[in-house]
Amino acid sequence: MPSYDTHTYDVLVIGAGGAGLRAAIEASAHGVSVGLVCKSLLGKAHTVMAEGGIAAALSYVDDRDNWKVHFADTMRGGQYLNNGRMAELHAKEAPERVLELEAWGALFDRTKDGRILQRNFGGHKYPRLVHVGDRTGLEMIRTLQDHGIYQGIAVHMECTITTLLKEEGRVVGAFGYEREKGRFLVFFAKAVILATGGIGRAYKITSNSWEYTGDGHALAFHAGAELMDMEFVQFHPTGMIWPPSVRGILVTEGVRGEGGILLNNQGRRFMFDDIPALYVNQTADNEEEGWRYTQGDKNARRPPELLTRDHVARCIVREIKEGRGTAHGGVLLDISWIKKKLPHAEDHIRKKLPGMYHQFLKLADIDITRQPMEVGPTTHYIMGGIRVDADTQMATVPGLFAAGECAAGLHGANRLGGNSLSDLLVFGKRAGEYAAQFAKENKSVTISGEHLDQYSREALRYFETEGADNSFQVQADLQDMMQDLVGIVRNEADMLRAVEELKKLKERAANVRVTGNREFNPGWHTALDLQNLLTVSEAVTLAALERKESLGAHFREDYPDRDEKSGKFNIVIRKSEEGWMELRQEALPELPAELQHIINEMK
Amino acid sequence: MPSATFQVQRGGAGGGRLETYTTEVAEGMVVLDAVLQIQAEQAPDLAVRWNCKAGRCGSCSAEINGMPKLMCMTRLSDLPPGKPILLQPMKAFPLIKDLVTDVSWNFRVKKMIKKFKPRPPDAADGTWRMAQEDVDRVQEFRKCIECFLCQDVCHVLREHHLFEEFIGPRFFVHVASLEMHPLDVEDRREELKKADGIGYCNITKCCTQVCPEDIHITDNAIIPLKERVVDKFYDPLKRLFGRWRGKK
């Protein structure tokens, strides 16, 4: 029997972005031992790419804001498919979580009276996003990292988990490998928190890095936990599209928050052409009013560029499909026009959007203070994920918790910009707190060596397979397929084809050939990640087929409207005893009267 | 389609060798695109670190034609045309494999630096007030993406290997971000002088030149820190005052 490098903790956190770090900090503050596993180096997780800000109703810029407005905005943005309790906790606790970051050293941009400055963002009624230029995510992850390293948390960098360990009906640890030497690691833990982020690598055009292969979703699914809302994948309206090598890289919504406008190839501001009924009362009906809103006029309504991401992405797709796109298949996003309105506009843009200025100048030879940007939708985020209890973040398998993007519930059918960073903080903390409590109430359990040997054999089998493909080829084919068949605009015929394609891809993925040895071998790592990508791709496809209506980020051209009768359910996915994906529709839980009252009041 | 030739250092600590790869080049391509293309099509076990691909995470540091750079922000069109492009790992750190080095020393060093310690809150609700201009000064340092290119190029580490006595430019920037933080009340000058070895820096500004975030590491972080150390330890008036009080 091989020996394994074994570690024992009270709480094991898998993933070290915002949610994982916040969870680890909280768990260790509750006096339990904590291990933190990162797929990359510490501080490199995708949280660094978050640009716009953290949504929190601090009401420093507009005193009409409060948790109730934030709650109602979040629910409206999610088409009321959100878990109401999560949306309530999130809106109530986000301000405290932000202030805590400041106490740990974060430095946000300031108002004139020295408080934290807040900016406008899509779907948020008042300026609400706490930010630092357009590098808010970096500020947040670095603050958490630099606070967390003094907490006695054991950090395992460049380590990937391949299986959760289960015994006596609960999750008791995890099995994985470290990249450097390819050695296997065994973690025993009384509670395990998944904070693994998203699934963006299932698509060809994505803002996500190589890490986002749905690991947490797949680990939880195979451990018997339920997934929910997997059909809701957010395509961010503005990703870079030219040159080809930068396709998919995010262009922050902050550009539109600062007054940026969307134009088609005829120079028309097409976002005024289609304003959804749910937002008519809140949206400007002329350009002048929209501009005044971005400049802080409290009596103005928001410009249509700041409608929710699902809607803006679809409008862009419509323009492109109907022949009004740019030569490279996008639309124009222009911030330079504000020089007609503001003195020193060029300095203002560089100050407010330094990352965007730098990114376009370096990678696309575009000076955004003088020229428009070419943009198009990019796969960005998944609203769905592991089904959790709203208060404790525990999954449907005891001992397993989830927080951040890999958990479901808060965002419903569409996430508002800025609600991700606040989600990480609020529910990262809660997951850490309740996982620590669970650890205190439960004993540690070990696993027999036979099981572990089986996991190591499964991971190593790719060195012996004789397939024709390498793992990168199969991954690229999967990404092309998902982009074409289960993308922004969906229909039944395409998705049935996707189901067939997935079967073929699974076979190929099971037989990919890995060359070289176990030491830092990306081909091998990708072969393992690919299995997770296939699991989540199947979940997304099956759930998208099941929902025969359009709402939020899920758009079916064969069912273009919301089905008011049936459209009040979540789709829940579980692994059947035979190992299949089992889907069921579950009626939305009824909102408590006081929350329903808030929604009605804010309509 | 045009192509480009790369000489990539392969192999582990046992000794590297240069392997030559030729790959197709598309408009706007950066070095990292080419490396990932070579990995997908020719060398699946080619070890490389990367994440964001947009100059924001600082993972893909390497030496391109001998210059420490981020691979994701280096356009092929900015390199000499028609010549092979030399790709090597950062030289200052122990090699793991191919383009990947062991940078764990940096993470250990950071833990030695005294953590942020804020003054008591300014307002009854537990919050602070800060002016934007005070915040701006420190935000320059907080832009750091921890790519460690400054550590790689610094001769105190690269040539003289003083890893036990010197924390390197990255962590002087970090200390500066704490020392100049509008809320911080901790004093790190003693450590700067002794454990951090700030005296080894002789201001050649190599670190500033390679910083992909354009942080003025030497002028804005290291020199002001050196001045603070001088003020504390070498101020003649203070020294006289200290003697008079019967202290060292």
Side-chain angles (χ1 to χ4, degrees):
Chain A
M1 187 187 110
S3 65
Y4 301 99
D5 187 2
T6 303
H7 303 269
T8 304
Y9 303 109
D10 293 318
V11 173
L12 178 71
V13 183
I14 302 170
L21 274 164
R22 188 63 191 84
I25 288 168
E26 192 64 18
S28 84
H30 281 77
V32 300
S33 66
V34 178
L36 177 63
V37 169
C38 348
K39 205 168 170 178
S40 287
L41 296 172
L42 185 62
K44 307 297 184 195
H46 229 49
T47 306
V48 299
M49 280 299 279
E51 291 160 355
I54 314 170
L58 288 158
S59 67
Y60 290 162
V61 172
D62 194 319
D63 57 12
R64 293 171 297 181
D65 202 13
N66 59 55
W67 78 264
K68 291 179 181 176
V69 189
H70 191 184
F71 165 78
D73 286 351
T74 301
M75 295 295 290
R76 188 186 302 107
Q79 301 277 339
Y80 305 107
L81 224 67
N82 327 51
N83 177 303
R85 174 66 177 159
M86 281 177 85
E88 177 194 3
L89 290 170
H90 168 252
K92 279 182 174 165
E93 294 176 4
E96 210 180 313
R97 295 287 82 77
V98 167
L99 295 175
E100 198 169 66
L101 284 186
E102 188 158 272
W104 294 348
L107 278 174
F108 300 112
D109 286 347
R110 317 306 295 182
T111 61
K112 288 211 168 64
D113 64 350
R115 292 170 184 252
I116 295 173
L117 181 64
Q118 299 181 271
R119 70 154 51 122
N120 289 312
F121 235 59
H124 292 282
K125 192 163 183 189
Y126 302 121
R128 189 176 284 147
L129 265 69
V130 173
H131 63 278
V132 188
D134 54 8
R135 59 160 196 87
T136 315
L138 174 66
E139 185 68 19
M140 182 164 131
I141 199 165
R142 201 65 83 229
T143 302
L144 291 170
Q145 176 188 345
D146 293 351
H147 183 75
I149 56 172
Y150 299 99
Q151 300 273 105
I153 298 162
V155 180
H156 298 266
M157 294 199 282
E158 299 196 310
C159 173
T160 304
I161 299 300
T162 56
T163 313
L164 293 177
L165 306 179
K166 239 178 119 181
E167 196 69 57
E168 297 165 13
R170 67 180 175 97
V171 170
V172 296
F175 181 91
Y177 63 89
E178 48 84 32
R179 282 160 73 79
E180 183 175 336
K181 294 285 175 206
R183 281 180 299 235
F184 292 115
L185 298 173
V186 177
F187 299 95
F188 291 117
K190 296 169 187 167
V192 173
I193 300 173
L194 294 171
T196 54
I199 64 144
R201 294 307 279 185
Y203 290 85
K204 182 181 180 186
I205 301 171
T206 176
S207 63
N208 289 193
S209 86
W210 69 274
E211 295 188 292
Y212 299 91
T213 51
D215 296 1
H217 297 76
L219 290 169
F221 171 77
H222 291 299
E226 290 176 346
L227 305 180
M228 192 173 85
D229 295 339
M230 292 297 286
E231 65 275 34
F232 298 112
V233 176
Q234 180 167 76
F235 298 91
H236 193 290
T238 57
M240 292 177 82
I241 62 163
W242 192 259
S245 67
V246 299
R247 192 158 192 142
I249 296 178
L250 192 66
V251 180
T252 176
E253 194 167 322
V255 175
R256 285 169 281 145
E258 298 295 341
I261 57 175
L262 288 165
L263 303 168
N264 64 18
N265 67 8
Q266 296 155 4
R268 180 174 172 80
R269 208 169 151 187
F270 59 87
M271 286 307 300
F272 276 104
D273 298 345
D274 176 14
I275 295 168
L278 207 53
Y279 284 92
V280 166
N281 294 336
Q282 299 188 2
T283 307
D285 53 17
N286 63 81
E287 300 191 5
E288 188 53 36
E289 183 182 3
W291 167 250
R292 282 190 284 113
Y293 176 91
T294 64
Q295 299 310 297
D297 181 344
K298 292 184 180 178
N299 296 316
R301 294 170 299 176
R302 74 168 79 101
E305 277 85 359
L306 291 178
L307 285 162
T308 53
R309 289 176 174 177
D310 51 344
H311 179 75
V312 179
R314 271 195 301 277
C315 290
I316 292 174
V317 169
R318 180 195 67 214
E319 292 302 305
I320 297 167
K321 266 196 168 169
E322 293 176 9
R324 294 185 296 274
T326 61
H328 301 125
V331 295
L332 298 174
L333 171 62
D334 189 16
I335 182 76
S336 68
W337 80 280
I338 68 171
K339 56 182 173 274
K340 288 186 207 153
K341 298 281 188 182
L342 284 181
H344 314 297
E346 293 181 6
D347 289 339
H348 180 78
I349 294 167
R350 277 192 290 265
K351 164 91 185 138
K352 288 290 181 182
L353 302 163
M356 288 301 107
Y357 174 74
H358 185 72
Q359 183 173 312
F360 273 90
L361 201 61
K362 278 252 181 175
L363 296 176
D365 300 320
I366 297 282
D367 178 351
I368 67 167
T369 67
R370 292 159 187 271
Q371 295 159 279
M373 299 160 247
E374 256 187 294
V375 296
T378 179
T379 314
H380 185 53
Y381 188 89
I382 182 159
M383 275 63 76
I386 301 155
R387 187 184 198 182
V388 292
D389 175 73
D391 286 80
T392 65
Q393 297 287 293
M394 186 144 88
T396 51
V397 173
L400 183 64
F401 297 75
E405 186 173 351
C406 74
L410 171 61
H411 307 293
N414 173 60
R415 175 176 70 80
L416 298 185
N419 271 0
S420 179
L421 293 187
S422 42
D423 172 9
L424 307 183
L425 294 172
V426 168
F427 294 105
K429 175 187 182 285
R430 282 185 164 267
E433 181 181 343
Y434 288 96
Q437 190 182 317
F438 187 92
K440 286 177 186 172
E441 291 164 357
N442 287 276
K443 286 202 182 100
S444 124
V445 179
T446 51
I447 289 273
S448 81
E450 274 168 49
H451 280 111
L452 302 176
D453 292 350
Q454 184 200 328
Y455 302 142
S456 69
R457 276 197 304 275
E458 277 167 20
L460 291 173
R461 60 181 290 273
Y462 301 100
F463 286 99
E464 281 142 36
T465 43
E466 299 276 318
D469 307 301
N470 77 37
S471 49
F472 296 106
Q473 285 158 347
V474 182
Q475 181 175 262
D477 290 347
L478 170 67
Q479 291 165 340
D480 282 340
M481 188 281 286
M482 289 296 286
Q483 189 78 36
D484 288 347
L485 303 180
V486 201
I488 304 181
V489 178
R490 301 166 173 177
N491 67 58
E492 180 146 326
D494 280 356
M495 291 193 287
L496 288 174
R497 259 180 64 209
V499 172
E500 291 307 309
E501 292 294 324
L502 279 169
K503 283 182 196 156
K504 291 183 212 157
L505 286 161
K506 267 190 199 170
E507 253 171 54
R508 286 172 63 196
N511 291 302
V512 290
R513 193 185 62 241
V514 171
T515 53
N517 60 30
R518 283 164 66 175
E519 291 178 18
F520 215 115
N521 185 341
W524 179 41
H525 305 154
T526 302
L528 294 168
D529 288 347
L530 189 53
Q531 312 304 321
N532 296 335
L533 266 185
L534 284 160
T535 302
V536 293
S537 298
E538 187 178 354
V540 169
T541 307
L542 294 181
L545 266 169
E546 176 82 3
R547 189 172 288 281
K548 293 182 170 51
E549 62 172 334
S550 293
L551 85 166
H554 173 66
F555 184 77
R556 293 275 304 249
E557 56 190 354
D558 44 355
Y559 299 95
D561 300 312
R562 179 165 192 174
D563 184 346
E564 286 304 331
K565 275 189 208 138
S566 71
K568 295 206 162 65
F569 58 86
N570 294 112
I571 295 172
V572 176
I573 298 178
R574 208 177 56 173
K575 192 174 179 176
S576 73
E577 293 197 357
E578 300 81 35
W580 299 107
M581 252 181 210
E582 212 170 56
L583 274 72
R584 69 170 192 279
Q585 297 183 2
E586 205 167 293
L588 287 179
E590 200 159 322
L591 273 185
E594 65 271 21
L595 294 182
Q596 189 58 53
H597 180 69
I598 294 169
I599 288 172
N600 298 342
E601 240 183 352
M602 310 263 172
K603 266 212 166 127
Chain B
M1 215 177 230
S3 64
T5 301
F6 291 82
Q7 292 184 310
V8 185
Q9 183 174 323
R10 298 293 312 264
R17 61 187 189 279
L18 290 179
E19 293 269 350
T20 304
Y21 301 95
T22 301
T23 195
E24 285 184 350
V25 172
E27 186 181 340
M29 213 153 140
V30 294
V31 170
L32 181 61
D33 292 318
V35 170
L36 295 179
Q37 201 166 290
I38 290 166
Q39 190 187 57
E41 294 170 358
Q42 304 176 49
D45 63 341
L46 170 59
V48 56
R49 281 196 185 103
W50 68 281
N51 282 291
C52 76
K53 229 180 144 299
R56 287 168 173 260
C57 77
S59 299
C60 62
S61 305
E63 300 192 2
I64 302 168
N65 290 340
M67 278 299 290
K69 283 176 187 276
L70 293 179
M71 288 188 278
C72 73
M73 296 304 278
T74 307
R75 302 263 297 261
L76 295 182
S77 54
D78 292 338
L79 298 170
K83 286 190 184 153
I85 296 159
L86 179 64
L87 289 184
Q88 291 168 293
M90 287 192 284
K91 192 182 161 195
F93 302 111
L95 182 61
I96 290 178
K97 184 187 157 191
D98 304 339
L99 299 175
V100 174
T101 55
D102 178 359
V103 292
S104 58
W105 169 80
N106 293 285
F107 292 87
R108 291 194 295 276
V109 167
K110 195 185 234 183
K111 277 169 106 165
M112 290 164 27
I113 295 163
K114 283 184 186 163
K115 74 184 284 193
F116 173 68
K117 186 171 149 192
R119 68 177 184 234
D122 302 330
D125 65 356
T127 61
W128 289 272
R129 301 288 177 272
M130 286 178 258
Q132 183 67 44
E133 57 186 24
D134 295 333
V135 168
D136 281 343
R137 183 162 68 144
V138 184
Q139 277 178 348
E140 181 190 358
F141 307 134
R142 297 183 68 88
K143 283 197 307 192
C144 171
I145 55 174
E146 298 197 332
C147 63
F148 307 129
L149 289 172
C150 59
Q151 308 286 70
D152 181 44
V153 80
C154 176
H155 62 96
V156 182
L157 300 171
R158 189 183 177 97
E159 316 291 343
H160 303 289
H161 310 289
L162 295 179
F163 289 93
E164 298 305 317
E165 296 155 67
F166 182 70
I167 62 174
R170 157 60 192 138
F171 295 105
F172 291 123
V173 168
H174 182 54
V175 173
S177 81
L178 292 164
E179 285 283 300
M180 299 180 204
H181 192 296
L183 303 184
D184 185 81
V185 292
E186 186 61 86
D187 182 354
R188 298 170 186 82
R189 288 175 295 177
E190 177 128 9
E191 290 80 5
L192 274 174
K193 179 170 181 282
K194 294 175 184 159
D196 301 350
I198 195 166
Y200 285 113
C201 167
N202 55 6
I203 320 187
T204 53
K205 299 198 180 185
C206 309
C207 51
T208 304
Q209 280 170 23
V210 300
C211 178
E213 287 294 308
D214 297 323
I215 301 171
H216 296 274
I217 301 175
T218 316
D219 290 346
N220 292 352
I222 297 179
I223 292 174
L225 289 179
K226 278 178 176 271
E227 285 167 358
R228 286 178 184 219
V229 170
V230 168
D231 282 351
K232 181 175 169 93
F233 293 99
Y234 304 105
D235 186 320
L237 282 175
K238 271 194 193 152
R239 214 180 237 193
L240 205 64
F241 187 68
R243 248 179 225 157
W244 175 61
R245 294 274 304 266
K247 287 178 190 167
K248 199 180 165 192

